[in-house]
Amino acid sequence: MDKIPFNRMQDMLRAKPIPKVDVKHKVMAAIRAKENKEEKVVKKKIGLLVTVGMLVGASSVWAGMEMIQLKNEKGEVVYEVSQQTDQEQQKMLERLSPEERAKLDALKKESQQRSKIITDIQNGLKPGTTVAIYTVPTKEEEERYKDMIFVKGKHPNVDVVTKPVEYKGWKEMEPLVGEMFRLPTELEGGLPFDYGVIHYEDSDKYDVEGMKAEAIKDNKKYIVKEIPASNKFDRASVYYKSQKGNVEVEVSLLEDDSNGMGTNAQKIEKVMVGENEAVLAIHTFKDGSASQWISWVKNGTKLQYMVSASQEVASKDELIKIAEQINDMK
């Protein structure tokens, strides 16, 4: 799914408080996660912590978090990666009161139900189609949102989803993103381009009040309206194929207020990709398998790169070589 419930929770915490929520800049940097697609479990667990932040205060949730800062060639901090392991998260959850746990369970249930609806709708769309989905809020949700102001295009009851077009080669993608960056047709080790997608920022061309009125009139739980797509680039993902699985390369355009991500990977360390500081993370799952990713912001740009693969597909050294190959592309 293009936008998961976690992102909606982030928006709640980024909303201007009147006057209840006090969230520090570094906490927000940690919460604004753009996680590796292969770490879906990680996303959900971190999203859970964001939910807890809504209940007990984001600052307390992220207190004591480990952080790696990436600096550019001028010594300026351009990106922060924050770590909180599953064990640390579990300890924090265990400190919740019965009332807070009940609220958390209710929020999780709401999120899961809404996520299923959104996923089913997105799966039924034609490639390149964008829709706005208005979900009628419960009384509890209305109470939760009443003291918050949301930026345009971030309404708490509206999800915007797009089914992206899949491109089968770099030559198909290059006319659309080639002025910003280039990617190879084949990675180190002989891994060919499999397919790629381009994601644009959420469109805000929807009529909340109109959808709300229609939902009330027709007694529906949600309303779906096709809307014009945004043309503002957000990120591109390209998948390179090997016999053991894919290597994903993601290129994102950083916003001025978006300079961090969170992870529950058990190991994170600073490495170098050419002359760029980078962070390498390894997340080991219960079955013993492991995924890893390396991320950096290319010097002189606002482009964040992330290369990810399972350890079965690429070793740490191989992943770094792939990152260096991509970073060298002009």
Side-chain angles (χ1 to χ4, degrees):
M1 191 168 62
D2 195 9
K3 292 291 182 183
I4 58 174
F6 173 29
N7 290 341
R8 192 167 61 255
M9 295 171 189
Q10 293 180 58
D11 295 334
M12 294 175 194
L13 288 176
R14 287 200 296 273
K16 182 178 179 181
I18 312 177
K20 297 182 179 179
V21 185
D22 179 20
V23 182
K24 304 301 182 184
H25 171 73
K26 287 190 176 182
V27 176
M28 295 313 357
I31 291 176
R32 292 180 66 99
K34 285 189 176 181
E35 290 288 1
N36 177 354
K37 187 176 180 180
E38 291 194 18
E39 292 182 286
K40 292 180 180 178
V41 175
V42 179
K43 278 185 172 180
K44 292 177 182 177
K45 291 178 180 175
I46 293 177
L48 191 64
L49 290 187
V50 178
T51 313
V52 176
M54 293 168 58
L55 300 176
V56 300
S59 296
S60 62
V61 168
W62 299 99
M65 176 180 292
E66 296 296 326
M67 182 177 291
I68 286 181
Q69 293 184 327
L70 304 182
K71 298 180 180 180
N72 61 17
E73 73 278 16
K74 298 177 183 179
E76 301 166 334
V77 176
V78 292
Y79 208 72
E80 297 175 333
V81 179
S82 303
Q83 176 195 37
Q84 194 165 57
T85 65
D86 291 345
Q87 292 78 10
E88 292 167 337
Q89 293 181 28
Q90 184 60 37
K91 288 178 182 178
M92 185 275 296
L93 292 173
E94 289 171 355
R95 294 198 296 268
L96 294 179
S97 68
E99 181 182 5
E100 289 166 342
R101 279 189 172 274
K103 289 181 179 178
L104 179 61
D105 289 341
L107 284 170
K108 285 169 59 181
K109 185 176 180 180
E110 289 173 13
S111 177
Q112 289 168 352
Q113 291 174 340
R114 188 159 167 174
S115 178
K116 184 180 185 307
I117 291 171
I118 294 167
T119 301
D120 290 344
I121 291 171
Q122 186 183 38
N123 288 340
L125 297 178
K126 294 180 180 180
T129 304
T130 298
V131 298
I133 307 166
Y134 174 82
T135 304
V136 177
T138 62
K139 290 183 179 180
E140 291 78 11
E141 286 177 312
E142 289 182 334
E143 179 68 22
R144 194 183 310 141
Y145 301 147
K146 71 177 183 179
D147 291 334
M148 288 185 175
I149 294 175
F150 292 83
V151 298
K152 185 179 180 182
K154 297 292 182 182
H155 194 281
N157 302 124
V158 177
D159 293 277
V160 176
V161 295
T162 300
K163 189 163 188 177
V165 175
E166 289 190 3
Y167 301 95
K168 298 302 182 182
W170 172 246
K171 288 185 178 181
E172 292 183 24
M173 290 186 68
E174 187 171 19
L176 300 171
V177 296
E179 292 186 4
M180 290 184 290
F181 61 87
R182 293 181 61 230
L183 292 175
T185 57
E186 185 175 287
L187 293 182
E188 288 278 344
L191 280 64
F193 189 112
D194 189 12
Y195 70 96
V197 296
I198 300 173
H199 299 279
Y200 298 91
E201 290 192 1
D202 284 353
S203 172
D204 61 3
K205 306 299 183 183
Y206 52 78
D207 178 7
V208 178
E209 294 304 318
M211 289 189 289
K212 179 179 179 180
E214 184 175 338
I216 294 173
K217 177 184 176 182
D218 297 338
N219 194 28
K220 292 184 177 180
K221 293 183 178 180
Y222 61 90
I223 295 292
V224 181
K225 293 291 185 181
E226 184 171 345
I227 61 174
S230 166
N231 61 0
K232 189 174 180 181
F233 175 84
D234 179 47
R235 68 191 189 280
S237 298
V238 173
Y239 300 86
Y240 294 86
K241 192 174 184 179
S242 78
Q243 291 182 344
K244 296 182 179 180
N246 284 343
V247 173
E248 179 184 359
V249 177
E250 181 175 281
V251 186
S252 305
L253 187 61
L254 293 182
E255 298 290 344
D256 291 336
D257 62 344
S258 175
N259 63 346
M261 64 181 292
T263 181
N264 69 342
Q266 294 92 339
K267 181 180 179 181
I268 60 173
E269 62 176 301
K270 187 179 289 188
V271 296
M272 296 299 294
V273 173
E275 297 181 354
N276 298 267
E277 289 190 354
V279 62
L280 185 140
I282 301 174
H283 184 83
T284 303
F285 299 96
K286 291 182 179 180
D287 63 2
S289 63
S291 67
Q292 56 187 351
W293 51 261
I294 183 170
S295 184
W296 71 99
V297 177
K298 190 169 185 177
N299 287 337
T301 77
K302 286 193 173 183
L303 294 174
Q304 180 213 356
Y305 291 78
M306 177 178 285
V307 182
S308 58
S310 70
Q311 287 190 329
E312 185 181 17
V313 172
S315 67
K316 171 183 173 180
D317 290 342
E318 289 170 336
L319 203 66
I320 292 175
K321 286 182 180 180
I322 290 172
E324 290 174 339
Q325 176 193 5
I326 291 166
N327 189 66
D328 288 341
M329 298 289 293
K330 302 297 184 182

